[in-house]
Amino acid sequence: GISKDTEVSVNLSSQVDEFIDLVKGGEYLKAVEYYEGKLYGNYQYESEASDGIEALLKNLNREILNGQKSESDSKKITGAVDNVLSKTNINIADYDVLKANINGSIASKAAFLAGKELEGLEKYVDAIEEYAAVIESDSDYAEAKSAIDRCVQTAKKDVLATAKAFV
């Protein structure tokens, strides 16, 4: 997996940088037009474009895990990448794995938020299930693990208090 702390950087020509900025901005139609007009047919640019998109996806995953990118921002970027890849000859070797990692990171963040909400509603067992879905590379992992302990202790106390009421 990708470390949540390490930014992936690649040296790109200014032309390819401009292309990546269009993709990052979700402007896939402009990105495809730019690629076809200025990059396609130049092996170095085509190779850099592939490397640049791969780095963009790895960095996006890192930013999600660190809480720096929202789900909607992430979907905009991955949607643009999907469209660019479907309309150009760009090939990313582990694209399916990169995309699965991004989706897993988004799910992890959502699980953490759901856990916090359920804990606040005193639905401790449900909260534990959500907190348990937080992945180890998520910046909220340590907090989720301590929240599980807290929910377990609170749920135990609640069960004991309920049981004592019937004794």
Side-chain angles (χ1 to χ4, degrees):
I2 295 295
S3 165
K4 66 181 194 261
D5 303 316
T6 311
E7 181 170 1
V8 177
S9 68
V10 289
N11 291 325
L12 303 175
S13 60
S14 59
Q15 291 88 337
V16 176
D17 251 346
E18 202 169 320
F19 165 73
I20 296 299
D21 285 344
L22 291 169
V23 175
K24 200 183 298 185
E27 300 181 74
Y28 69 88
L29 290 173
K30 286 182 183 176
V32 169
E33 186 179 305
Y34 187 91
Y35 179 83
E36 289 172 349
K38 298 197 176 178
L39 307 179
Y40 181 71
N42 179 316
Y43 176 77
Q44 181 185 340
Y45 289 165
E46 288 180 15
S47 178
E48 284 182 23
S50 176
D51 292 346
I53 288 178
E54 184 175 343
L56 171 66
L57 293 171
K58 288 177 178 178
N59 287 326
L60 174 61
N61 192 50
R62 180 185 55 78
E63 290 169 347
I64 294 165
L65 290 170
N66 288 332
Q68 299 166 314
K69 277 276 191 267
S70 69
E71 181 175 355
S72 61
D73 288 342
S74 304
K75 297 282 187 198
K76 179 178 83 171
I77 293 169
T78 56
V81 169
D82 283 342
N83 282 308
V84 167
L85 295 182
S86 73
K87 292 173 177 35
T88 66
N89 66 331
I90 298 172
N91 187 15
I92 309 298
D94 292 328
Y95 181 61
D96 292 339
V97 172
L98 292 170
K99 197 161 177 192
N101 287 343
I102 288 168
N103 289 332
S105 297
I106 290 169
S108 180
K109 286 297 180 188
F112 180 74
L113 292 174
K116 283 179 77 166
E117 185 175 330
L118 290 162
E119 183 180 1
L121 296 170
E122 299 180 5
K123 296 183 176 185
Y124 300 111
V125 174
D126 293 337
I128 290 166
E129 287 178 20
E130 291 296 337
Y131 285 135
V134 175
I135 59 177
E136 201 169 339
S137 52
D138 190 319
S139 61
D140 292 317
Y141 181 76
E143 191 177 336
K145 291 302 161 210
S146 66
I148 288 173
D149 293 339
R150 188 174 55 245
C151 287
V152 166
Q153 294 308 315
T154 307
K156 279 182 185 176
K157 287 177 191 167
D158 288 355
V159 168
L160 290 173
T162 303
K164 282 182 182 175
F166 288 104
V167 174

